[in-house]
Amino acid sequence: AMASSKPLDRIFVKGENNITAEIPLFHSLSLYGIDGTTIKFSSYVSTNLNIFKFVGYQPPDNTVKFIFNKILFMNAGKYALNITGGAAAVDIIDCGFVNNGWNGTTLNTVLPATTNVFGYDSTPGELQGFYASTSVSDGGAMNLENITNIQIIGNRVLQNMRGIKIVDCGIDGNGFITRNVSAKNIDSGIYLGLGALSGCENITVLMNFSAYNANNGILVTGGINNKFSQNEVNGNWNGGFCAWSVANTTLRDCGLYDNNRSGYSGIGNVSDAKASIQINENFSYLD
């Protein structure tokens, strides 16, 4: 179906679909699943690549649109969805992301360390050794960069290396991240980052549950005019809400409980937050 598709086609997927190689995205597409639809590598191996990847056009053509609906993505060594290089719109609705960039073993993000399982009281050396193992790779649920309009709604993001990660999105557009569960991931549950530009803009992060991640619950680097409201941010190893060099940022009506459980992240780095809400200005991200 992918090979024979045309721009703006809709592809309906059912059942369990095991892949053996990365699936490239070449043009606008919508993929719809039903209850129980899965697209995955048969098992997690750290050398697995992305499940879907789009790297844009040269020269850039910011007209491409993607929709992913009701699909469970599993076992990517990189990202389940890696969409970079510019797109007009990406909608990720009611999907699941499990064991992407991490096989879910050897580390418990909820409990202290036990025999052969690391936890929030493990030493930096133990956590760094865990990160260097074949249980973990440099990936996660999603990496979305330079998307003008973005919707991430109603997804379950569990036991991945990275959770919900968007970079330089919403510029001259908008974005909504709402009603997601992002929990028990190694990196931050929800991350608004910056790449070649100055960070995300006009993103509303509303009514999400970000808990027991082995980093910050919500992390924001750079950006302007982003709003965070009515999120439950609990039990994360580092800060509940950690912001670096942000402008015109609103944080309101959020529940932030039992964060800062460790002085380190899940990969053994020193925590960048020492409070449930921490606002930093350490780098000149904004012109």
Side-chain angles (χ1 to χ4, degrees):
M2 296 291 295
S4 61
S5 67
K6 302 182 298 297
L8 300 177
D9 273 357
R10 293 179 294 170
I11 298 176
F12 295 85
V13 188
K14 67 178 182 179
E16 183 174 299
N17 301 271
N18 290 316
I19 63 172
T20 58
E22 178 179 276
I23 302 172
L25 297 167
F26 296 110
H27 47 240
S28 298
L29 280 176
S30 300
L31 283 86
Y32 295 93
I34 59 175
D35 289 340
T37 295
T38 304
I39 302 176
K40 65 185 181 73
F41 288 92
S42 59
S43 61
Y44 171 85
V45 179
S46 61
T47 54
N48 290 344
L49 296 178
N50 305 280
I51 295 178
F52 285 102
K53 184 174 183 180
F54 175 74
V55 294
Y57 300 121
Q58 294 299 327
D61 177 6
N62 196 27
T63 63
V64 180
K65 300 179 181 180
F66 297 109
I67 296 174
F68 304 91
N69 183 270
K70 292 186 178 179
I71 300 172
L72 172 62
F73 300 97
M74 295 182 65
N75 298 333
K78 292 293 187 179
Y79 290 94
L81 301 178
N82 194 357
I83 301 175
T84 62
V90 174
D91 293 352
I92 305 171
I93 313 294
D94 294 335
C95 290
F97 299 83
V98 179
N99 294 153
N100 299 291
W102 176 34
N103 64 7
T105 69
T106 316
L107 178 73
N108 190 316
T109 67
V110 180
L111 301 174
T114 58
T115 304
N116 298 322
V117 178
F118 302 123
Y120 60 79
D121 58 348
S122 294
T123 67
E126 290 171 332
L127 296 170
Q128 290 164 9
F130 159 71
Y131 184 45
S133 73
T134 57
S135 297
V136 190
S137 51
D138 186 22
M142 63 187 77
N143 180 46
L144 310 175
E145 298 185 13
N146 196 16
I147 314 299
T148 305
N149 300 286
I150 193 167
Q151 293 191 91
I152 303 173
I153 301 174
N155 303 285
R156 296 178 64 82
V157 183
L158 306 172
Q159 290 188 311
N160 304 279
M161 170 56 188
R162 296 183 180 90
I164 297 172
K165 177 186 175 185
I166 69 171
V167 176
D168 292 344
C169 291
I171 298 171
D172 297 325
N174 63 80
F176 291 90
I177 301 175
T178 184
R179 296 192 294 104
N180 302 285
V181 174
S182 187
K184 301 181 184 179
N185 302 292
I186 297 175
D187 213 331
S188 297
I190 299 173
Y191 175 36
L192 277 60
L194 83 165
L197 304 178
S198 296
C200 296
E201 298 181 10
N202 310 315
I203 306 295
T204 298
V205 182
L206 171 70
M207 292 191 300
N208 300 283
F209 182 77
S210 182
Y212 299 109
N213 299 292
N215 202 302
N216 300 296
I218 298 174
L219 173 63
V220 191
T221 307
I224 189 169
N225 295 338
N226 299 306
K227 299 172 180 62
F228 303 83
S229 177
Q230 297 176 318
N231 300 289
E232 288 297 310
V233 187
N234 307 330
N236 298 285
W237 285 26
N238 303 156
F241 178 85
C242 181
W244 292 88
S245 299
V246 298
N248 294 356
T249 297
T250 300
L251 176 67
R252 61 182 292 271
D253 297 332
C254 293
L256 301 109
Y257 309 104
D258 192 29
N259 298 296
N260 299 295
R261 300 162 76 224
S262 174
Y264 305 96
S265 70
I267 62 173
N269 291 336
V270 176
S271 169
D272 62 350
K274 301 296 188 293
S276 202
I277 300 173
Q278 183 160 322
I279 312 296
N280 307 279
E281 171 53 82
N282 194 36
F283 305 103
S284 297
Y285 290 146
L286 297 173
D287 294 332

